[in-house]
Structures are given as structure tokens and as C-alpha cells.
Amino acid sequence: MSGSKPLYVGLDCSTQSMTGVVIAALDAASSKPFEVVASVTFQLDARLPHYGTIKGVLVDGAHVLVPSLMLVESLDEILADLSRAVVCAGYSMADIVAVSGSAQQHTSAFWSATALDLPSDPALPLAAHLAQAFAWPHGRSWMDATTTAECRALEAAVGGAQRLADTTGSRGYERFTGVQLLSLKAALAPVVRMSLASSLLTSLFLGAYAPIDASDGSGMNLMDLATRAWAPDVLAALEALGLPAATLLRLLGPAPIASHAVLGRVAPYFVARHGLSPQCRVVPFSGDNPCTLAGMGLAAAGDVGISLGTSGCLFVVAAPEAIRPSAEEGHVLTNPVDPATLMGMLCFKNGSLARENVRDRRANGSWSDFSALMAARPPGNDGVMGFFYLQPEITPVVPTEAPTARLSGIHGFDADDRPIDLLQSSAAVEVRAIVEWQCLAMHVHLQQLYQGPVSRLILAGGAAVNPSLLETLANVFNAPVFVEDNRVNTAALGGAFRAQHGVACDDARTYVPFEPHVRLELRATPKAAAHAVYAAMAARFPALEARAIAMQVQRYATP
Ligand SMILES: Nc1ncnc2c1ncn2[C@@H]1O[C@H](COP(=O)(O)OP(=O)(O)O)[C@@H](O)[C@H]1O
Ligand SMILES: O=C(CO)[C@@H](O)[C@H](O)COP(=O)(O)O
């Protein structure tokens, strides 16, 4: 039976999980602009154990990899789950007007076939049919940090880190595609085309290699932020470093496409296998952070979005004249729902997995024990501060030639800034230290990227349910904390909004403003006394962070 309302699908293929959300657009008379009719999710490790991933990735020496077929299979699986949920809700998959979605940013896949060929038999799973379609079984994860030398070489070849940032929105970053491809330059012969995780999913839906969208394209160190085409001077610099521009352009495909474009209709395979309508439109997938921004409806000046997924990412929307890409840290990306504005972003790698490390060592693997330990110490931890580089960190950029893949360590300081061993402190001290460090790092580094006021924080991601984390963020930033009130994955919801927005733009044959009408729920409010404590800690933070990093660099330099 058809539910008769138009449906839009948003998927989110993140580091550890795959999620699907279906929304129904409601008519103008309704008090709500949309309703969530289905929402399904699974963990990649548990659902697809044959790929052997741990928390969504494979580690091979210093490299962090993602099996490309796992991404393919996760699409087939989530559509099967969604189709059951949609029918249960009284709708049909044929009611879906458009699909779009989000994927972990920067993660790559390398194709070997000249054209993407989907199964003609709908009974055949996608992954079985595409088993030979990739030049290598694994692409590089966004967590791969092995390309520090390539970052510095590209920056130098372009004319400096600031020049690369001014052109592409970011200085050289290890996980970005341009430097990753540079490190692979000697091995690229069998590769016909590369996709980001986002454009891989778009390609599957279309049944043909899809262009990369401009928002995920701005996280590659390859796209000119102003023209939204592949940057000629970066291509020339890469050629000078031994990666021919012709090879690169073959791999990348055409210039990035506007994130609100409709690229075509779903391939017949999805009609026959999953019951989608042959008229169902495909709007390009984008990165999970741009989609989270869309799902939060982040628009007002002073709104700061924070995604607490595997990584921790902050973002703000700014007019181009109000935000300058920095050679120090952070990224400027295009806004997936508004071509006239940009998205400033900071990313921290030591987010959820670092907290889990402390939870497992100190709190019996239990988030409620973790919160109880937090509550056992006062805000400010009596002056104790920690720095938890359990994996090579993205922010701040380490000012050294040392490969960041090898920099790691936990560093503690007492109230007088003397080094202490946090592993020897009480469980409560270490638990509070990691949470306060993460919140302070976000606050202090955001000020480097964005100097405007912060009127509210809007949170998303798996850890946005943790009350002690939300309370600490409110107190550190001195701002109320909100979450989107549908209690579904915000990146997937943003994908569904983007599918709907793409259709509106397609129907109007022009860009139309994005109006998500998101409703937010207040979850934490700042307390003046706690904020005063954190303001004093924020003042100590830069010098202690520099000391922590210097200790790591020294450790690396000492054989
Ligand atoms: N109650 C909780 N408190 C803190 N963190 C949590 C809690 N529940 C889940 N998480 C964190 O959420 C993370 C997963 O978030 P999610 O947004 O699903 O990740 P991704 O989108 O990167 O796959 C887990 O690694 C876990 O540490
Ligand atoms: O590298 C980045 C952003 O630049 C990460 O944020 C990835 O996009 C992974 O996202 P999550 O799985 O943590 O949501």
C-alpha cells in the first residue's frame, strides 16, 4: 500500500556504522514540515564481519584502510533494512522521490574497470558482482596519517601552506586525497578512476561513475574553492612532484558538481532489487560533516555545530569574506546547501575512540560509570589538565617534519603546570581530564578559525547523548547546547533534506534557498562559575598543548 506522501532517503555511511533515514514531506497546512517514517542502522563490524574491520577500519602497519566492497555491501544491506521499515510504516519504496546521503569524508576507493557495471540480475548482491571492480581491495581511511612528507612537499611546490589553503581551503592534511594520491603515484597504473566514499555511493545508485560533489571536493587539497574546479596550480605542483596531471584528471573525473544538483535517476538494478521507482532521482552524496550541517539546519550567525562521531568536528557557516582559510589549522569547505556561503571546520581524531580507551581502562567499559566518575570531580579537575594523543592528531598541525603517524602519547600537568603521569592518577581524574581536554581543545582552536560570537552549540553524533560531555561543552563555550529533536542520525537526516532540496532546485531549474525547519531541543545550559574555571584553563591551554606536542616530537626524534 502506498502512503502517498513523497518520501526522501538519506543514508550515512560513517566510519563505524551505516544508517538510513526516510522522511515524508508534509503539506503546508501541517505544523511540521516533515516526519521521519523510517530509521535503521547497523554497525559495520557486526553486520559485515567477513571484512575483518575493527571499528570500521583495517590497520596495516601505519596505514588505516577501508575495504571498498564493505561500502558497496553496506548499501545493499541498508536498503534491504529500509525497505522492510518503509513497508512497516505503511509506505512503499516506490514512494521515494529522491535519494542522497553522507559518507565519512576523505576515505577513498580505487576502481579498475573502465565503466561501472551493475548486475543485470536483481537477485545478485552488488558486492558479489563488483568483487573484481576495484584495483585494490582497500581504499585509504580518513584516519590514515602516513603522508606528512607529501603534505609538506605539496605546500612547498604550490608556494607555501597559506597559498595551498587560500586556493583549496586547507593547508596540506595527511588524510586529504591530493597528498594521498601523491604517496600512491608509483602504483596508480591499474587504477582507472577513484571515488570518495560519498561519490562511490552516488555512483552505485546511478550505475555509472559519479562526479565528486563540491563540498566533499573541498576536502581534497585539490579543488579551487573560488571556481569549484580542480585547481590548475595544484595540479601543476603535483605534476612537478611526479604525479602527472593527466593521470590525476583521469582518476578524479570531471570538475566537482554542485551538491544540490540532480545527477540522474536510479539505475534499473535498484528498481528491480529494492523496489525504488525508475523516476527516483539521485542527488550527490557528500561528506558526513557537510550533511550534518544540513541536518542541523545550521544557518544563524553564532551557531556552532559539533559532530561527536568517531571523530570530533566543529563547524560554522560564514560568508566568504568573513572566513579566511588558515595555514595554521582548520578547513574551509563549500556549504552543501548554500553555494553563497562557506563552512569552516575543525576536525579532531582523538574523539570517541580516545574516550572509549579511557572508559575501558577506568570505567568498566560503561558510559554510566564514566559519567559517575566525571561527577566525582569538580569542573576544572582542581587544575589538572591532560592531552590524549592516542592516535596521531589532526588539530593542531604538528610543526615538524616528523611523520604524524608516529606521534602519540598521553601528557598530564598539575595545577602548577608541572608534568604528571595521568595513568597513575585516580580514575576520576583521568576521566575528567580527557573530557575537559576535548572540550577545551575545541574551544581554543575554534578561536583560531572563527572569531565571531558563539550563541549556541548544536550537537550530533553517537556521543551527543552523553550528559557529562554536553554539560562540559556548555560550560567551556558558555553557550547552551541543543540537539535535533527527531533523535535520528543527523548526517543521514541531512542527506534526506539534501535529497528534497535537490529535487526542489531541479524542479525550479535554479538554486532555491534551503529551508530545513529543524526543531532543536535544549540539553544543557552553561553555569557562570564553571565557565570562569574553564576560561582560566583555556588561557593555560596553548602553552601546555605546545609542551605536550614538543614532548611527542622529542620522543619521536630520540631513537
Ligand atoms: N553514551 C555515550 N557516551 C559517550 N559516547 C558514546 C555514547 N554512546 C555512543 N558513544 C560514542 O559514539 C561513537 C559512535 O558515534 P557515531 O556517530 O555512530 O559514529 P560514526 O558516525 O563515526 O560511525 C562510538 O565510538 C561511541 O564511543
Ligand atoms: O575526517 C573527517 C572530517 O574531515 C572525519 O570527520 C570523517 O568525515 C569521519 O567522520 P565520522 O565517522 O567521525 O562521523
Side-chain angles (χ1 to χ4, degrees), residues 14-15 104-106 142 175 288-289 309-311 313 345 347:
S14 283
T15 310
Q104 49 185 288
Q105 294 192 257
H106 324 291
W142 67 273
R175 67 199 191 286
D288 56 352
N289 293 301
T310 306
S311 58
C313 292
M345 183 171 96
C347 186

Side-chain angles (χ1 to χ4, degrees), residues 160-240:
Q162 186 61 57
R163 181 93 186 267
L164 184 60
D166 284 338
T167 304
T168 68
S170 301
R171 66 174 299 161
Y173 275 94
E174 281 80 358
R175 67 199 191 286
F176 279 38
T177 321
V179 289
Q180 288 283 344
L181 288 173
L182 185 57
S183 78
L184 290 165
K185 67 183 179 197
L188 290 171
V191 182
V192 168
R193 183 75 181 251
M194 64 113 358
S195 291
L196 297 178
S198 57
S199 63
L200 178 146
L201 294 165
T202 318
S203 301
L204 294 174
F205 270 123
L206 286 173
Y209 293 139
I212 287 164
D213 85 291
S215 272
D216 232 7
S218 48
M220 300 173 81
N221 276 147
L222 287 171
M223 191 190 89
D224 184 323
L225 206 54
T227 64
R228 299 180 184 200
W230 301 126
D233 50 344
V234 178
L235 264 52
L238 288 167
E239 175 135 355

